Amino acid sequence: MIRQRCYDIVMHTPMGERPGWMRVSCEGERLSGELHLLSHTHPISGRIDAAGNCRFTGQIKTLMHTMHYTACGRLGPDEVSLALHENGPDYRVDGVARAEGRAGE
């Protein structure tokens, strides 16, 4: 299971791909961390099982509003695949784990 990991991610939107990053820490089934998209970083919190299946909540600030979402998907040692659910369309988020020791956001 993932203990601490940072991923380079892309959120797929009708306006195109939006790059960002996500940092997660797991303690037992508890997941916490932060998601950085659209030039803003916000905390995330939720649950993860031994297979990497996860569910967490957070928010993303856009130019027009703040989007509160629930994300469901899988965090693996090498990649992430999520669906972000809001009161509207779902957004797919995919990414790959950063190489160990890679600096910078």
Side-chain angles (χ1 to χ4, degrees):
M1 182 192 296
I2 306 305
R3 289 291 147 224
Q4 292 188 352
R5 181 80 60 191
C6 191
Y7 299 92
D8 289 313
I9 61 170
V10 174
M11 182 170 71
H12 305 276
T13 74
M15 302 295 287
E17 295 182 344
R18 302 294 183 235
W21 54 265
M22 181 172 67
R23 185 174 295 135
V24 296
S25 295
C26 303
E27 184 176 324
E29 291 187 352
R30 199 176 114 227
L31 179 143
S32 62
E34 52 192 5
L35 181 78
H36 179 86
L37 279 168
L38 305 173
S39 301
H40 297 280
T41 304
H42 294 283
I44 59 173
S45 63
R47 311 289 285 172
I48 187 167
D49 67 16
N53 299 306
C54 64
R55 180 180 182 93
F56 61 86
T57 59
Q59 64 182 22
I60 297 171
K61 186 172 180 161
T62 72
L63 292 174
M64 302 300 285
H65 72 289
T66 298
M67 176 178 124
H68 297 272
Y69 65 85
T70 298
C72 298
R74 186 168 190 292
L75 297 175
D78 299 318
E79 59 189 17
V80 59
S81 178
L82 302 167
L84 273 60
H85 309 283
E86 190 206 16
N87 292 335
D90 290 350
Y91 297 98
R92 195 176 91 239
V93 174
D94 298 307
V96 295
R98 289 185 174 177
E100 294 295 323
R102 185 172 146 194
E105 266 92 41

